[in-house]
Amino acid sequence: MALLTNEQEQLRGNLREFVDKEILPNAAAVDESKVFPRNIFHRLGELGYLNLSFAFQHPNTRYTGTEGAIIIEEISRGLPSLGLSVSPHVQCMNLIAIAGQQTLQERLLRRCMSGEHLLGYALSETNSGSNALNINTAAVFDGENWILSGEKSWITNLGAADGYVVAARSITSQRSRDISLFYIDADTPGLSDDDRKELVGLNNSPLGTLRMKNCVVPADCLIGRENEDYGLMKIGLDEGRYNMAAVALGLAEGALETAVETTKNSSIYGRSLYTYQGVSFRAASMYEKVFVARNSLYTVAEMLASGRKASMEIAATKLFTTEMACEVAKDAAQLCGAYGYARSSPTERYLRDAQALTISEGSSEVCKVVISNKLFRSEE
């Protein structure tokens, strides 16, 4: 079983206090607004909670591994859509910290960690489905700048982000794995990020289509090396799945806490609801799932912190935890009765938000592909 250190327990306690005071009391209103909560995001930066990394380890990171999981988990206990938005921000920030040119790092990293600057990760395209390598966005170097043109679909933080990390192909690309990554400011002429898609849940994490037409990007905005960013992209995919598992865990914990509190304070026939085994046993099963998911997530966190490869374990954790979150959210709504399905109730929000996590950053089916490929094929 994964055991937390005293420092990690203190981190969780501080975060829990922050979430209980500054996120949960306003979560329903924030959800209804359907607007990215930049004020809360900025507060996370002020408190140092955005200085974190998972798969990308670099020496100046304050929180890594398990600490990073705790941060995403606790944020998502209060507002899952905010946890979802923090994920690509952290991915992009760490890509720049690891492989970005010094001028780009100096321009962005401090503002990203302070919550002043929000990032989005523009990888998927309309016809790519689950094939991350099916990239048609073009990058041409004119001798001084890069010119980007293309369309990216289902991009998290669309319209709220101050800049995006974009995956593209240059004209020298010859293999499917010849991928290049670029940073582009949201106010770059030719960039359009106002095509938001309405979802059933995750209202505060805007998502939609990013379009670029002859966007001029300075040469120092190339991250890594031309045609050599497949490795970075692959690590980023793992990190995204890991982050979604942390979001799902936090969501499930929030749903469980709501169900327990509601059934403790509700009664029928002169008895508190929780004293009926039909209620208490269901809550026990919910805790069982949360407990197993938490230990799986923290174990993978320790693997990443030690530098071990963990693609299969990450996929398994993402698969189990996101499916688990759907089950726990459904059970929580059931235990809370009509209130559990009422608009703006915590359980109704958790129920809406949970389903998308089984799709985001690699669907459950994609995770099964990753796992089965590792089981039945030799390592590449």
Side-chain angles (χ1 to χ4, degrees):
M1 183 177 75
L3 297 176
L4 299 184
T5 65
N6 290 336
E7 291 78 9
Q8 290 166 344
E9 290 284 8
Q10 182 65 45
L11 172 65
R12 180 186 292 283
N14 292 339
L15 269 161
R16 185 158 288 250
E17 182 178 0
F18 168 76
V19 170
D20 288 347
K21 288 184 177 180
E22 299 192 33
I23 296 182
L24 275 173
N26 304 307
V30 172
D31 177 75
E32 288 289 340
S33 75
K34 299 186 178 182
V35 175
F36 175 75
R38 189 170 287 273
N39 59 329
I40 303 176
F41 178 74
H42 193 210
R43 281 287 288 147
L44 291 172
E46 288 180 336
L47 296 170
Y49 295 137
L50 297 178
N51 188 355
L52 59 96
S53 68
F54 299 109
F56 298 104
Q57 304 293 332
H58 51 90
N60 296 322
T61 305
R62 180 178 180 183
Y63 298 113
T64 62
T66 304
E67 291 86 357
I70 291 170
I71 291 172
I72 298 290
E73 175 189 345
E74 287 296 327
I75 293 170
S76 302
R77 183 177 67 88
L79 192 64
S81 57
L82 179 57
L84 179 70
S85 282
V86 168
S87 172
H89 174 78
V90 172
Q91 285 175 272
C92 294
M93 187 172 63
N94 286 296
L95 280 168
I96 294 168
I98 290 295
Q101 297 182 42
Q102 185 174 353
T103 52
L104 186 63
Q105 293 179 3
E106 292 174 350
R107 182 157 63 93
L108 293 179
L109 289 183
R110 183 194 61 79
R111 291 190 293 154
C112 290
M113 287 188 288
S114 69
E116 299 171 49
H117 198 84
L118 176 67
L119 298 175
Y121 190 21
L123 176 60
S124 60
E125 300 191 359
T126 303
N127 297 319
S128 64
S130 298
N131 181 6
L133 289 175
N134 189 9
I135 293 174
N136 294 311
T137 297
V140 178
F141 190 63
D142 67 1
E144 294 184 4
N145 302 295
W146 289 93
I147 312 298
L148 299 186
S149 294
E151 185 173 292
K152 296 292 184 177
S153 299
W154 305 110
I155 305 307
T156 301
N157 294 338
L158 186 92
D162 301 291
Y164 301 88
V165 171
V166 177
R169 293 191 184 278
S170 69
I171 58 174
T172 62
S173 172
Q174 297 179 345
R175 303 171 302 163
S176 63
R177 295 186 178 185
D178 286 351
I179 303 297
S180 302
L181 297 174
F182 301 87
Y183 169 77
I184 181 170
D185 282 317
D187 59 1
T188 300
L191 183 146
S192 171
D193 61 355
D194 56 359
D195 185 11
R196 178 174 177 176
K197 309 299 182 185
E198 289 293 329
L199 302 180
V200 172
L202 299 171
N203 286 340
N204 308 111
S205 183
L207 181 146
T209 301
L210 177 72
R211 296 182 175 87
M212 294 160 288
K213 184 176 181 181
N214 298 324
C215 292
V216 179
V217 176
D220 68 350
C221 288
L222 171 65
I223 299 171
R225 297 184 178 181
E226 181 183 359
N227 295 331
E228 296 183 14
D229 286 341
Y230 170 74
L232 290 174
M233 188 182 78
K234 189 174 181 181
I235 295 172
L237 290 172
D238 279 345
E239 182 170 1
R241 290 168 188 155
Y242 176 85
N243 292 353
M244 289 307 100
V247 173
L249 176 59
L251 184 155
E253 289 174 342
L256 173 59
E257 290 174 7
T258 301
V260 169
E261 189 66 22
T262 300
T263 54
K264 283 174 64 178
N265 293 301
S266 301
S267 61
I268 186 171
Y269 303 126
R271 292 171 54 184
S272 294
L273 278 179
Y274 80 91
T275 63
Y276 293 90
Q277 283 189 347
V279 173
S280 60
F281 277 18
R282 180 173 290 204
S285 294
M286 293 162 67
Y287 174 79
E288 167 200 351
K289 295 169 184 176
V290 169
F291 176 80
V292 172
R294 183 187 297 118
N295 277 277
S296 175
L297 183 70
Y298 292 1
T299 297
V300 171
E302 293 174 1
M303 294 176 68
L304 292 175
S306 67
R308 293 177 58 183
K309 292 183 178 180
S311 293
M312 180 168 69
E313 292 80 4
I314 290 171
T317 300
K318 197 269 182 184
L319 171 64
F320 176 80
T321 307
T322 55
E323 295 285 347
M324 175 277 298
C326 291
E327 296 170 6
V328 170
K330 182 179 178 181
D331 285 344
Q334 187 74 18
L335 289 180
C336 292
Y339 169 73
Y341 201 58
R343 287 289 295 177
S344 298
S345 70
T347 45
E348 182 266 347
R349 188 169 61 254
Y350 291 132
L351 192 62
R352 283 189 286 109
D353 289 350
Q355 189 63 54
L357 300 179
T358 66
I359 301 170
S360 182
E361 296 287 354
S363 66
S364 294
E365 291 74 20
V366 168
C367 289
K368 291 176 182 178
V369 170
V370 173
I371 296 166
S372 59
N373 283 348
K374 292 289 183 179
L375 288 174
F376 296 105
R377 299 181 187 178
S378 59
E379 188 72 31
E380 293 182 5

